[in-house]
Amino acid sequence: MSQNGYTLTPETTTITPGEPTDFRFTVIGPDGRPVTGYQTLHGKKLHFIVVSRDLGGFQHLHPEPVGEGVWSVKLTLPEAGAYRAFADFAPEGGTGLTLGADLHAGGAYEPRALPALSRTSTVDGYTVELDGALTPGASSKLTLKVSKDGRPVTDLQPYLGAYGHLVALRAGDLAYLHVHPDGEPGDGRTQPGPEITFYAEVPSRGDYRLFLDFQHEGDVRTAAFTARAGELPTPATASSPTPAATPSASDSHGDHNH
Ligand SMILES: [Cu+2]
């Protein structure tokens, strides 16, 4: 929720499930005052992502400034549970930041397991195929190919300055990966589908949930994937009894050395 002296400050973090709410927040800057100057990134001054903590849902919203550094967005948390919200922005004169906050929708809920690993996602008659490997500790090239009714889609529409917008979150702690599209509409080399290419900075081995927003025939849709970076340590190794003096978790902590 805080980085480089900037803090995401929601007016409330408790929301009634199923009810549209005027959700408001500010970003407090290093001087202790609400930030009012923002750079435009991908066509917007602030991108707001909300997912349930079990990564079962995804919303990509664009709050409106309502004065004095306050942002407002109509937000509906569909059901009871814990959610994570992310504000993705760059203050004027500063670098890009992603700040997060936990939100809570009261009531009983059943936690769900992470959806199974899959390279194919379907949404509203579209099929999106994921190609490329997530490599821990590296920038990983990912290609997403969009088709509809068995035919490649070659007339994707620009959405937020690209033919697709990809958000990647690490399962377990919802760490937010930085993802960069390869090329943009109108640069003379980037085609409007069927393939959209991204580079994702993958911090560690583990499972990730990827959400692709793409626009076609006037509507934005989201395709979601679960992908794995590297090999996971086997539970048998992680839980086998070893003398206390021999750290058995060196495998899973190896990435701190990079
Ligand atoms: Cu956005």
Side-chain angles (χ1 to χ4, degrees):
M1 63 183 290
S2 287
Q3 193 180 346
N4 298 357
Y6 293 87
T7 301
L8 179 61
T9 309
E11 288 188 1
T12 180
T13 57
T14 305
I15 291 173
T16 305
E19 284 186 14
T21 301
D22 177 19
F23 182 79
R24 292 181 173 221
F25 61 92
T26 51
V27 176
I28 303 296
D31 60 359
R33 308 168 77 89
V35 176
T36 55
Y38 291 82
Q39 302 175 40
T40 298
L41 298 174
H42 303 297
K44 298 285 179 180
K45 290 184 182 292
L46 189 140
H47 302 266
F48 192 67
I49 306 295
V50 180
V51 292
S52 60
R53 269 275 175 195
D54 59 14
L55 290 168
F58 176 83
Q59 300 181 60
H60 181 165
L61 307 171
H62 297 109
E64 295 293 331
V66 292
E68 298 179 9
V70 177
W71 293 94
S72 164
V73 65
K74 183 161 284 186
L75 175 65
T76 303
L77 300 182
E79 53 191 66
Y83 292 78
R84 187 78 175 159
F86 301 91
D88 193 343
F89 63 93
E92 255 170 24
T95 56
L97 292 171
T98 306
L99 303 180
D102 281 337
L103 305 180
H104 307 278
Y109 79 104
E110 288 290 327
R112 284 164 296 216
L114 186 69
L117 298 177
S118 174
R119 290 194 166 270
T120 304
S121 174
T122 56
V123 52
D124 290 349
Y126 292 84
T127 300
V128 184
E129 290 171 75
L130 169 66
D131 194 24
L134 292 179
T135 305
S139 179
S140 302
K141 182 179 181 179
L142 299 175
T143 301
L144 294 122
K145 187 175 178 182
V146 183
S147 59
K148 187 181 187 191
D149 302 326
R151 282 195 293 273
V153 173
T154 57
D155 57 347
L156 290 173
Q157 296 167 323
Y159 172 60
L160 304 174
Y163 287 119
H165 198 81
L166 187 70
V167 168
L169 301 172
R170 182 166 59 191
D173 67 357
L174 278 62
Y176 189 98
L177 273 62
H178 289 278
V179 179
H180 311 281
D182 181 36
E184 58 187 39
D187 65 3
R189 65 181 182 90
T190 303
Q191 302 298 316
E195 295 183 339
I196 318 167
T197 301
F198 299 91
Y199 290 89
E201 296 168 27
V202 183
S204 70
R205 79 177 105 197
D207 289 341
Y208 294 82
R209 191 77 172 150
L210 312 179
F211 301 95
L212 172 74
D213 289 329
F214 63 97
Q215 183 171 320
H216 187 233
E217 295 178 348
D219 287 319
V220 176
R221 296 179 172 84
T222 304
F225 306 83
T226 301
R228 177 164 294 171
E231 295 296 317
L232 296 186
T234 62
T237 303
S239 64
S240 62
T242 46
T246 309
S248 62
S250 57
D251 260 2
S252 59
H253 291 169
D255 52 355
H256 287 293
N257 297 326
H258 287 287

